[in-house]
C-alpha cells in the first residue's frame, strides 16, 4: 500500500467520529496498538528533540524499505507517532522524503493540539524524514 493510500485510510477513519473526544480516544487506541519498541532502543540518541514528552523512534532498513518502531511516555503523543508510523513505516526512503503530510491537516489534528504538541508533531515528521534521507543516501 502506498503512503497516499494509507493516509486516505487514516482520513476516512477519523471522519467516522463526530467529535474530537472520540478522535482522541481513537488516537489513544492507536497508540496502544503500536508495536513495542525494543528497550535497547529507548536511548537518548533515539529521542525526538522538540517534543515535550519523550518519544523514541528507531528506524532500520529492510529490503530497501524503512521499518519504524516507536514509543512515548504520553498516551496522546504515542497515538500521534502511531499515526505517523502507520503512514511511513515499511516504505521506500524516497517515498517518505517525497510524501505530502497534509493528511495531518485533513484530519484536523494540528488544530486540536496544544502549541507544544503541535511543535512535537512537526519534530516527529522531520525526524522520520531525516531517517529516510539518511537511508536514501545509502541506496544511491
Amino acid at each position: 500500500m502506498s503512503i497516499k493510500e494509507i493516509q486516505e485510510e487514516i482520513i476516512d477513519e477519523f471522519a467516522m467520529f463526530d467529535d474530537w473526544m472520540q478522535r482522541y480516544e481513537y488516537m489513544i487506541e492507536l497508540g496502544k496498538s503500536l508495536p513495542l519498541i525494543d528497550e535497547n532502543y529507548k536511548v537518548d540518541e533515539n529521542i525526538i528533540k522538540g517534543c515535550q514528552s519523550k518519544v523514541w523512534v528507531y528506524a532500520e532498513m529492510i529490503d530497501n524499505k524503512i521499518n519504524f518502531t516507536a514509543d512515548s511516555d504520553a498516551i496522546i503523543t504515542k497515538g500521534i507517532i502511531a499515526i505517523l508510523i502507520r503512514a511511513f513505516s515499511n516504505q521506500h526512503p524516497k517515498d517518505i522524503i517525497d510524501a505530502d503530510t497534509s493528511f495531518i491537516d485533513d484530519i484536523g489534528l494540528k488544530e486540536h493540539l496544544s502549541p507544544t504538541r503541535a511543535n512535537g508533531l512537526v519534530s516527529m515528521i522531520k525526524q522520520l524524514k531525516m531517517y529516510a534521507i539518511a537511508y536514501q543516501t545509502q541506496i544511491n
Side-chain angles (χ1 to χ4, degrees):
M1 219 179 193
S2 74
I3 292 174
K4 186 75 180 144
E5 290 168 329
I6 295 167
Q7 290 174 346
E8 291 295 329
E9 234 180 44
I10 293 168
I11 292 167
D12 290 345
E13 288 166 14
F14 272 81
M16 291 188 298
F17 300 106
D18 296 328
D19 62 42
W20 263 94
M21 282 315 295
Q22 292 175 326
R23 291 181 180 139
Y24 281 129
E25 287 171 21
Y26 182 61
M27 279 177 30
I28 291 166
E29 287 306 310
L30 290 174
K32 287 179 182 172
S33 68
L34 192 64
L36 288 179
I37 190 170
D38 189 304
E39 288 297 316
N40 297 336
Y41 301 134
K42 286 176 106 173
V43 292
D44 286 348
E45 58 262 21
N46 291 335
I47 289 179
I48 294 180
K49 312 288 182 272
C51 288
Q52 190 175 16
S53 312
K54 283 192 175 170
V55 181
W56 297 269
V57 173
Y58 177 74
E60 62 183 334
M61 182 93 100
I62 301 169
D63 298 328
N64 280 342
K65 292 187 175 181
I66 301 176
N67 187 28
F68 293 104
T69 55
D71 196 7
S72 176
D73 60 358
I75 56 172
I76 295 288
T77 307
K78 193 170 180 173
I80 295 168
I81 195 67
I83 291 168
L84 296 176
I85 283 181
R86 180 170 157 200
F88 297 127
S89 199
N90 212 16
Q91 300 289 336
H92 190 277
K94 179 139 181 40
D95 295 335
I96 296 169
I97 295 164
D98 295 341
D100 182 2
T101 56
S102 63
F103 83 104
I104 296 293
D105 297 326
D106 294 342
I107 62 176
L109 184 56
K110 212 180 276 183
E111 68 191 70
H112 287 90
L113 294 176
S114 66
T116 52
R117 278 218 175 99
N119 288 341
L121 170 63
V122 171
S123 296
M124 289 180 216
I125 292 169
K126 197 180 293 182
Q127 186 60 50
L128 296 180
K129 289 197 176 235
M130 290 304 288
Y131 276 122
I133 290 166
Y135 280 117
Q136 181 64 33
T137 60
Q138 292 176 14
I139 294 171
N140 291 340

